[in-house]
């Protein structure tokens, strides 16, 4: 989230802790994790216990309870592949609710919690089904390149975990040292025809097939082409190693950050005809 100004209202930080396995078959375990658990610590723990699948999602900052909100994803894997149920409290009625995976309407960095159920629930725990056999997913280009560089031909989940941690540590600023919200914009989805046209005009442009006639573009590439990488403006700026990450360099104001984001969006729209969508939730503005 981005705090762009003071937030008028009660702020609750769910700090519930606890992890329990409540179902096991020959192929998978069902794990219930409380919302206040640290996501990365849970990923590490799962791997140690031989509960696989989450290794690509290592080092994503934040809590377990926030993970379903934007269906966290990285290096070719998204949380939705593992979600069985989400437990929550309805803020208006105080009642306990349990949502099945289908009810969560997961999509790319998206879920029902950003739309129909936006700010209406406090998530208290999530149930995940995790495979007991490794299903290594190492096709994502930067992950595959890192493993190849390390000479790992048949990666184990532990190799994937280590490679993801290495890539992220090298490329992304630690929010504890330099405040940031990770990727500030979603990778834009466009129809295949428009993507082919852009590709013809820009042969270096990365384009990923997204199925159903859609293609995913790289927001980082588009921003970099518009000359924003490493640019500094007052207390805020665009990170010099990752053009998708906007940073507070110290003393930056929410209004400065949103003005920078607006100018980046405008220049990408002017240059490529592509609308960038902001990924984090913005609080503390009237907008
Ligand atoms: C350096 C960096 C790298 C990142 N990389 C990735 C990445 O690779 N992939 C990715 O998907 N994200 C990434 N992110 C974004 C971020 O890590 C995730 O969105 C994460 O889930 C945020 O967790 P949080 O606990 O900090 O949530 P917050 O930022 O505190 O909250 C996010 C939203 O969720 C709501 N929320 C949080 N907890 C609950 C709850 N228990 N019940 C109801 N609502 C709740 C909040 O109200 C808010 O709307 C990155 C962020 C940073 C800083």
């Amino acid at each position: 989230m981005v705090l762009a100004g003071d937030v008028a209202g009660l702020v609750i930080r769910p700090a519930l802790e606890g992890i329990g396995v409540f179902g096991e078959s020959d192929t998978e375990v069902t794990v219930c994790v409380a919302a206040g658990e640290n996501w990365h610590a849970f990923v590490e723990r799962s791997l140690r216990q031989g509960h696989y699948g989450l290794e690509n999602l290592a080092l994503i900052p934040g809590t377990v309870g926030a993970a379903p909100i934007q269906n966290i994803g990285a290096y070719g894997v998204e949380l939705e592949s593992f979600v069985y149920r989400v437990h929550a409290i309805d803020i208006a009625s105080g009642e306990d609710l349990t949502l099945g995976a289908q009810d969560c309407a997961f999509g790319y960095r998206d879920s029902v919690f950003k739309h129909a159920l936006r700010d209406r629930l406090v998530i208290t725990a999530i149930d995940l089904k995790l495979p007991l056999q490794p299903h290594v997913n190492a096709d994502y280009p930067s992950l595959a390149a890192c493993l190849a560089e390390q000479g790992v031909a048949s990666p184990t989940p532990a190799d994937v975990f280590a490679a993801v941690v290495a890539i992220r540590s090298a490329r992304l600023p630690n929010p504890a040292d330099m405040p940031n919200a990770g990727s500030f914009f979603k990778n834009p989805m466009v129809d295949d025809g428009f993507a082919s046209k852009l590709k013809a005009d820009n042969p270096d442009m990365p384009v990923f097939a997204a199925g159903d006639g859609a293609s995913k573009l790289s927001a980082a590439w588009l921003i970099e082409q518009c000359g924003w990488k490493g640019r500094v403006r007052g207390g805020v700026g665009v990170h010099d190693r990752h053009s998708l990450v906007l940073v507070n360099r110290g003393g930056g104001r929410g209004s400065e950050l949103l003005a920078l984001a607006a100018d980046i969006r405008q220049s990408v729209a002017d240059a490529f005809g592509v609308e960038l969508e902001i990924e984090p939730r913005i609080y503390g503005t009237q907008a």
Side-chain angles (χ1 to χ4, degrees):
M1 68 170 77
V2 172
L3 297 172
D6 291 340
V7 176
L10 176 66
V11 176
I12 300 172
R13 183 174 73 87
L16 304 160
E17 290 178 347
I19 302 171
V21 171
F22 66 89
E24 184 157 354
S25 71
D26 291 344
T27 55
E28 63 184 15
V29 286
T30 312
V31 188
C32 180
V33 200
E37 292 285 344
N38 175 273
W39 173 258
H40 176 70
F42 170 63
V43 172
E44 264 185 316
R45 181 185 190 275
S46 301
L47 186 60
R48 273 199 311 275
Q49 303 212 324
H51 305 162
Y52 300 117
L54 302 180
E55 47 280 353
N56 298 51
L57 304 178
L59 224 55
I60 297 181
T63 55
V64 165
I69 305 283
Q70 71 159 5
N71 180 26
I72 57 169
Y75 302 98
V77 171
E78 288 181 321
L79 180 78
E80 66 170 297
S81 305
F82 307 99
V83 172
Y84 171 44
R85 292 184 305 203
V86 172
H87 303 282
I89 295 171
D90 181 304
I91 294 171
S93 68
E95 281 175 14
D96 291 335
L97 291 178
T98 297
L99 289 89
Q102 291 297 325
D103 306 323
C104 297
F106 289 123
Y108 165 63
R109 300 291 190 274
D110 204 18
S111 74
V112 72
F113 309 111
K114 286 178 134 187
H115 301 282
L117 295 179
R118 180 179 171 133
D119 293 338
R120 287 180 48 195
L121 304 179
V122 173
I123 292 172
T124 51
I126 63 177
D127 297 343
L128 302 177
K129 285 187 179 290
L130 301 176
L132 291 166
Q133 300 301 321
H135 290 283
V136 170
N137 184 336
D139 295 340
Y140 195 84
S142 55
L143 178 57
C146 177
L147 289 163
E149 209 171 280
Q150 294 171 351
V152 181
S154 306
T156 63
D159 293 327
V160 170
F161 176 89
V164 168
V165 168
I167 300 168
R168 296 185 71 103
S169 305
R171 293 192 69 205
L172 290 167
N174 182 341
D177 303 328
M178 186 179 282
N180 74 88
S183 301
F184 202 86
F185 300 100
K186 293 185 184 183
N187 284 323
M189 302 289 244
V190 298
D191 68 57
D192 287 341
F194 185 56
S196 305
K197 186 182 162 301
L198 284 175
K199 182 84 179 166
D201 294 342
N202 306 275
D204 296 341
M205 186 173 82
V207 176
F208 307 96
D212 291 333
S215 295
K216 197 195 275 185
L217 308 180
S218 162
W221 188 88
L222 297 168
I223 294 168
E224 202 170 330
Q225 300 310 301
C226 293
W228 288 102
K229 194 173 187 179
R231 289 251 299 261
V232 167
R233 224 163 68 176
V236 299
V238 180
H239 195 250
D240 55 6
R241 287 197 305 269
H242 204 313
S243 51
L244 210 42
V245 179
L246 306 194
V247 295
N248 185 342
R249 303 170 56 248
R253 315 275 313 165
S255 53
E256 280 182 293
L257 186 76
L258 295 182
L260 175 65
D263 288 349
I264 292 172
R265 292 184 75 212
Q266 188 62 54
S267 65
V268 168
D270 291 346
F272 297 101
V274 173
E275 295 289 335
L276 292 181
E277 189 185 337
I278 290 179
E279 182 175 309
R281 293 282 310 275
I282 313 281
Y283 290 89
T285 62
Q286 301 308 314

